[in-house]
Amino acid sequence: NQPYTLKTGIRNSNSRPYLVHIVNVNGITFVGSVKEKTVARNLYAQARARGKAAGIVRANSQDMETFKTEVHVPPGSNIEFELHYQEMMHRRLGFYEHSLYLQPGRLVPQFQVDVYVFEPKGISMVQTPNTLGVQFTELIKVTSTKDKAHIVFKPNLQQQRKCDNCTDSAIDGIFTVKYDVTRDSNAGELQVSDGHFVHFFAPSNLSPLPKNIVFVIDVSGSMWGVKMKQTVEAMQAILDDLTVDDHFSIVDFNHNVRCWSEELVPGSSIQIADAKKYIQSIKPNGGTNINEALMRAVQMLVRASNQGLIDPRSVSMVILVSDGDPTVGEIKLSTIQKNVKRVMREEFSLFSLGIGFDVDYDFLERIAMENRGMAQRIYANHDAAEQLRTFYSQVSSPLLRRITIQFPEDSVSDVTQNRFDKYFSGSELVVAGKVLPSESNTLTSFTTASAVSRAHNHTLKVVELDMELAKQQHSFTGFARQMWAYLTIKQLISERKITQRIMSLAVEHQFVTPLTALLVESEDAKERLLADTPRDPKHGCCSVDNDPHFIVHLPGSNMDVCFNIDSKPGHILNLVSDSGTGLVVNGQLISSKQAHKSKVSTYFGTVSVYYQPDGISVTVGTDSIAMTDGMNNHSFTWGATAEITQDGVRISIVKDSHVTVTINNNIQVMVLLHRVWKKHPVSVDFLGIYIPNDNQYSPLVHGLIGQFSREPEVSVYDIHEGVDPLKKQATMEVKGNKLQVTRGWQKDYRRDKRHGSNVYCWFIHNSGKGFIDGHYTDYIVPYLNSFLQTL
């Protein structure tokens, strides 16, 4: 009988039209349709103002491959939720793969998965690798004919149990179906329907081309532990795959860049054995200098090419493995992107592998797609090494270069990308377009690749495919039309052409994109939910964690500056005070249990966010989160994920992890929870604070963090060796002051909550004196909701 937020997510699925039905929310049926974003938001705002049920579907605004659904269920309501979507299946390693993430979290009285496959050309193979556990092997049933397959997984309550008397479910993993289709020849396959065509090109029986690879591996501090262990494990297998016809080298980087070999070397057994030893000796630490590492890798390929050391038929590529954002050297992502594109040659490709959920995958995808490659997320769990190996196997057998698939000009129009840099064994190239009116029922495509030319024609009656699909209970019609629209939208977004054309295509074909949103409304349009693309996460300018230390990123100066505040337990420090918008953020200090090396450490134990216009105060502690609007008090534990919206304030709680407070969609404060062993003799639970650079304050904003929304001019010179050879010293000029600063490391806990990742910064001594306005004691306020007095 309490408000409840239902969340579901689908990963590794490509963007699709959505149809959402929500049945029996107070007896109302909701059906979804995509509209232009501002139209949908305005309609949703009207419904939300009346306090009705609310929901949101989120799709990542760039890759369009991940979406989450949240539905707020009013107290006492029942809800049935259906999500219908279309997914473009990609052929990899010789088959298509459909994955379902099964994580019910509890025993389910009626648990059933049905997967139906229909392929008009015929099914050549279907497999169901059991990744859920040996106890389920006999429960996965497959029935198949020439062109259909039906896979059923239906465990009863007893079969779901972890043990005979357990109440926990053993179902926790990925249910996978793999299959491939029958192909008539190496010429490819053409399917035509509804005035559109799709051409699938997947030749086989070709000899692999030799390859030249530079592996670029992130060995910064955030890779410490399981990420590095699994990267090393994967690299052992990948190196074994190389042949003497292949050439390779390894670049590993943190704040520095090192090369195992400055030149490409053949994949002989001696070189591979030496490379394996080198990989095993890596000890992650330090920052992340992605820009210099990629520059060095490309220079290596350019040098080998210029010197004629590599086979002219070969394929050259850089494979980047990283888990973080750049923190050292060039850190502006757009500049790194331009640098890489400038030095990469047309015959080189860049592939990016992003490890973990918090990696900036959008950046890694952009630099890969701009340089004739592709990107993939590697989820940092027990099978990350297998994910890395699988990705490598997709690109380890190039069969063709410079492929072009063309059609007579008078037969087609609006053709999607038809020139491809490489074709890899087991994959597939897909081209779609519109078929121009013609008396002929044939369509001819001409395919050229690596100076080898093939021409073929393929005939299919215009209505045949849709007629076949219409007979199938679980199939969508309009296949070729939707495939063409999806490929066109994806291509326009990747080319950064955010135009009216994307919006009109997305509305016509019902895709959620950066310009559109899914509005879910009742049949009489009096009740509405909204599906929307979330704002891209921005990286914080300012973070506060541990002792407490502050990290301030200065994008104009391309540097990070750090300082500690050595205040006393019980003191309340003002972080942001903006009387213009009516926002204040304060943090109260607590101490460690006892002194360590004669020093009592201080931490933030309570953080308060107060928004004066709505009279709403959010107080985050290490035990609970409280919200008050002056009349009503609400309390939440860290033990559950939840989202609460009150007027212009949204509170998002992620279980045992962090709280994000968003004010009017333009100001955000994130508070991280750090738990320690309860019996630890010194440490206590504490909070970290992260505030993004793009928060929209008024000109009156101030505070220890707020003041840096106006970036000060900073210059650093006279850099020289210090007492500690690892920590250089320098002079910094800022705000008319000359300060002696030290180059060092501070911990940033956003990505790695347990160990933290290292940020390389110039450290200001004496509690930030000379860098912050006034003295740190000027920022001590009497109460958690106090605004800062004018300095």
Side-chain angles (χ1 to χ4, degrees):
N1 288 319
Q2 295 297 315
Y4 178 73
T5 300
L6 169 73
K7 297 191 178 184
T8 180
I10 295 182
R11 293 180 285 180
N12 291 351
S13 298
N14 288 314
S15 184
R16 74 299 295 158
Y18 298 89
L19 282 171
V20 180
H21 305 275
I22 301 177
V23 182
N24 199 18
V25 178
N26 299 331
I28 301 168
T29 300
F30 293 81
V31 181
S33 64
V34 171
K35 299 182 185 296
E36 193 274 321
K37 179 174 282 188
T38 55
V39 172
R41 282 180 171 171
N42 288 337
L43 290 170
Y44 174 64
Q46 294 169 23
R48 183 177 151 193
R50 297 198 302 271
K52 303 301 181 183
I56 185 167
V57 176
R58 298 175 179 239
N60 183 283
S61 60
Q62 294 302 334
D63 62 21
M64 297 163 55
E65 290 183 350
T66 302
F67 66 86
K68 292 182 179 179
T69 305
E70 300 177 14
V71 180
H72 182 74
V73 185
S77 299
N78 293 317
I79 185 168
E80 290 181 25
F81 181 79
E82 290 184 30
L83 179 60
H84 298 235
Y85 66 94
Q86 289 179 328
E87 172 185 351
M88 179 179 172
M89 307 289 285
H90 288 281
R91 187 171 186 260
R92 297 186 177 99
L93 302 177
F95 51 78
Y96 301 96
E97 181 175 305
H98 180 61
S99 297
L100 292 169
Y101 288 74
L102 305 183
Q103 296 166 312
R106 59 187 176 86
L107 300 177
V108 179
Q110 293 179 314
F111 190 105
Q112 182 166 341
V113 176
D114 290 276
V115 178
Y116 296 89
V117 181
F118 170 63
E119 286 288 349
K121 297 291 291 183
I123 299 170
S124 63
M125 58 81 76
V126 60
Q127 296 176 352
T128 55
N130 183 11
T131 55
L132 292 172
V134 67
Q135 74 189 81
F136 298 117
T137 302
E138 301 300 320
L139 300 181
I140 301 173
K141 308 294 183 185
V142 181
T143 307
S144 62
T145 63
K146 175 180 174 293
D147 57 0
K148 294 180 186 177
H150 180 201
I151 300 92
V152 183
F153 177 53
K154 188 180 178 181
N156 61 33
L157 270 175
Q158 189 59 34
Q159 291 164 336
Q160 294 174 44
R161 298 180 193 275
K162 275 191 175 179
C163 61
D164 288 344
N165 298 315
C166 290
T167 57
D168 293 335
S169 175
I171 302 174
D172 185 4
I174 304 172
F175 182 82
T176 302
V177 175
K178 296 180 178 181
Y179 76 92
D180 200 14
V181 301
T182 304
R183 286 177 173 79
D184 296 334
S185 69
N186 271 345
E189 179 188 343
L190 263 171
Q191 294 185 347
V192 183
S193 73
D194 194 18
H196 293 73
F197 74 87
V198 183
H199 180 105
F200 300 95
F201 182 63
S204 56
N205 303 320
L206 300 171
S207 300
L209 302 171
K211 54 190 178 288
N212 317 297
I213 307 181
V214 182
F215 298 98
V216 181
I217 302 172
D218 185 342
V219 296
S220 61
S222 57
M223 286 287 288
W224 186 88
V226 70
K227 288 181 184 177
M228 196 68 233
K229 180 183 176 186
Q230 299 203 329
T231 300
V232 170
E233 182 187 328
M235 284 300 299
Q236 306 293 310
I238 287 169
L239 289 169
D240 278 336
D241 179 77
L242 296 171
T243 71
V244 288
D245 293 327
D246 299 324
H247 287 74
F248 78 104
S249 188
I250 299 166
V251 172
D252 62 298
F253 70 97
N254 47 22
H255 48 289
N256 296 315
V257 176
R258 291 166 296 275
C259 300
W260 164 68
S261 168
E262 292 288 346
E263 307 293 336
L264 292 178
V265 299
S268 65
S269 56
I270 294 174
Q271 299 285 16
I272 287 169
D274 188 59
K276 283 183 175 181
K277 286 181 185 174
Y278 181 80
I279 290 285
Q280 286 175 322
S281 69
I282 291 172
K283 299 289 186 287
N285 67 85
T288 310
N289 194 342
I290 290 178
N291 186 74
E292 189 181 340
L294 290 174
M295 293 298 103
R296 293 276 286 276
V298 177
Q299 287 164 9
M300 210 179 285
L301 290 175
V302 169
R303 199 161 52 241
S305 179
N306 289 346
Q307 295 172 356
L309 301 177
I310 56 180
D311 189 326
R313 297 180 308 115
S314 64
V315 170
S316 298
M317 61 184 83
V318 174
I319 297 181
L320 167 67
V321 181
S322 178
D323 78 329
D325 296 332
T327 60
V328 179
E330 178 55 67
I331 62 171
K332 191 175 181 182
L333 300 183
S334 59
T335 303
I336 297 174
Q337 205 176 325
K338 289 174 187 171
N339 290 345
V340 174
K341 192 171 182 179
R342 186 185 72 249
V343 299
M344 285 284 279
R345 292 188 176 180
E346 283 294 317
E347 65 267 29
F348 300 165
S349 293
L350 170 63
F351 297 91
S352 304
L353 296 171
I355 298 186
F357 288 96
D358 46 10
V359 69
D360 192 330
Y361 182 72
D362 182 51
F363 163 67
L364 293 179
E365 186 177 52
R366 282 202 308 272
I367 60 171
M369 291 181 71
E370 279 193 355
N371 294 285
R372 297 158 296 283
M374 58 184 173
Q376 184 164 315
R377 286 185 189 274
I378 301 296
Y379 295 98
N381 54 25
H382 62 281
D383 70 342
E386 180 60 30
Q387 293 174 62
L388 284 162
R389 289 196 295 268
T390 299
F391 177 86
Y392 173 76
S393 63
Q394 292 173 32
V395 300
S396 62
S397 295
L399 301 182
L400 295 171
R401 288 179 57 192
R402 296 176 184 164
I403 308 103
T404 303
I405 301 174
Q406 292 176 298
F407 306 85
E409 288 184 7
D410 59 352
S411 63
V412 299
S413 69
D414 298 279
V415 177
T416 60
Q417 179 188 354
N418 66 336
R419 297 176 187 274
F420 302 92
D421 190 64
K422 298 174 183 65
Y423 169 73
F424 295 99
S425 177
S427 66
E428 182 176 65
L429 303 179
V430 183
V431 180
K434 295 181 178 180
V435 181
L436 294 175
S438 170
E439 293 180 3
S440 170
N441 63 353
T442 67
L443 185 61
T444 304
S445 71
F446 302 90
T447 304
T448 61
S450 295
V452 177
S453 178
R454 297 184 183 85
H456 72 282
N457 62 58
H458 188 95
T459 306
L460 192 67
K461 286 189 175 65
V462 172
V463 296
E464 183 177 334
L465 180 60
D466 273 353
M467 287 177 64
E468 286 297 315
L469 291 172
K471 297 174 187 175
Q472 310 303 317
Q473 181 184 354
H474 303 281
S475 295
F476 289 96
T477 56
F479 168 78
R481 182 174 176 270
Q482 289 296 90
M483 178 74 89
W484 168 79
Y486 170 71
L487 292 173
T488 301
I489 291 171
K490 184 104 171 167
Q491 191 174 323
L492 290 170
I493 290 176
S494 70
E495 293 168 355
R496 289 299 192 262
K497 293 178 181 175
I498 306 298
T499 65
Q500 181 65 32
R501 187 165 182 231
I502 293 178
M503 188 162 66
S504 59
L505 275 172
V507 171
E508 181 185 352
H509 296 269
Q510 295 288 284
F511 286 92
V512 173
T513 70
L515 300 180
T516 54
L518 176 68
L519 188 70
V520 188
E521 54 190 1
S522 59
E523 291 169 340
D524 59 5
K526 290 181 179 177
E527 304 280 346
R528 296 185 176 104
L529 311 180
L530 179 71
D532 202 355
T533 47
R535 294 168 63 206
D536 282 343
K538 301 292 183 183
H539 304 292
C541 79
C542 312
S543 55
V544 189
D545 241 323
N546 235 27
D547 202 27
H549 68 241
F550 291 67
I551 306 170
V552 178
H553 177 56
L554 304 175
S557 305
N558 191 20
M559 71 173 70
D560 291 297
V561 178
C562 303
F563 59 91
N564 289 355
I565 296 293
D566 297 318
S567 199
K568 296 178 181 178
H571 279 176
I572 300 172
L573 296 176
N574 175 256
L575 307 176
V576 177
S577 179
D578 187 359
S579 56
T581 59
L583 171 78
V584 65
V585 182
N586 292 322
Q588 186 166 28
L589 298 175
I590 56 173
S591 69
S592 53
K593 292 174 183 173
Q594 60 183 26
H596 179 62
K597 296 183 179 178
S598 303
K599 184 180 185 300
V600 176
S601 297
T602 55
Y603 310 89
F604 281 114
T606 306
V607 172
S608 172
V609 179
Y610 176 51
Y611 185 51
Q612 193 177 44
D614 290 342
I616 294 175
S617 175
V618 181
T619 306
V620 182
T622 55
D623 296 321
S624 63
I625 302 103
M627 182 187 80
T628 177
D629 59 7
M631 295 180 290
N632 302 303
N633 298 314
H634 305 276
S635 184
F636 308 90
T637 71
W638 281 101
T641 295
E643 182 159 312
I644 313 98
T645 300
Q646 179 84 15
D647 297 322
V649 179
R650 185 170 74 249
I651 306 165
S652 301
I653 303 169
V654 176
K655 178 182 177 181
D656 293 326
S657 176
H658 62 273
V659 173
T660 304
V661 180
T662 306
I663 312 290
N664 288 338
N665 290 324
N666 59 21
I667 295 176
Q668 196 174 83
V669 178
M670 185 170 74
V671 181
L672 263 67
L673 173 66
H674 296 283
R675 291 259 191 240
V676 299
W677 180 45
K678 290 192 180 301
K679 296 182 181 179
H680 195 287
V682 176
S683 299
V684 291
D685 292 350
F686 67 99
L687 304 173
I689 307 162
Y690 295 87
I691 299 180
N693 214 9
D694 64 340
N695 277 353
Q696 296 174 26
Y697 306 115
S698 82
L700 301 176
V701 67
H702 212 280
L704 282 167
I705 290 177
Q707 63 186 287
F708 295 106
S709 66
R710 299 176 293 274
E711 183 175 338
E713 288 189 14
V714 176
S715 64
V716 176
Y717 56 92
D718 187 28
I719 301 173
H720 56 274
E721 295 291 332
V723 178
D724 184 340
L726 297 177
K727 296 181 178 179
K728 293 186 181 297
Q729 294 186 333
T731 301
M732 174 184 287
E733 280 194 16
V734 57
K735 298 181 179 179
N737 302 313
K738 287 189 177 181
L739 310 176
Q740 296 305 305
V741 294
T742 305
R743 193 76 153 141
W745 301 102
Q746 287 283 26
K747 288 285 188 186
D748 183 324
Y749 287 87
R750 274 170 298 181
R751 303 193 179 284
D752 185 337
K753 265 185 56 185
R754 185 174 179 188
H755 304 286
S757 54
N758 288 313
V759 174
Y760 208 30
C761 60
W762 287 109
F763 186 81
I764 313 288
H765 302 277
N766 302 319
S767 292
K769 186 177 180 181
F771 184 65
I772 61 173
D773 293 339
H775 192 268
Y776 86 86
T777 53
D778 297 329
Y779 297 85
I780 298 173
V781 293
Y783 307 108
L784 277 172
N785 289 346
S786 296
F787 282 82
L788 188 65
Q789 298 302 308
T790 304
L791 288 174

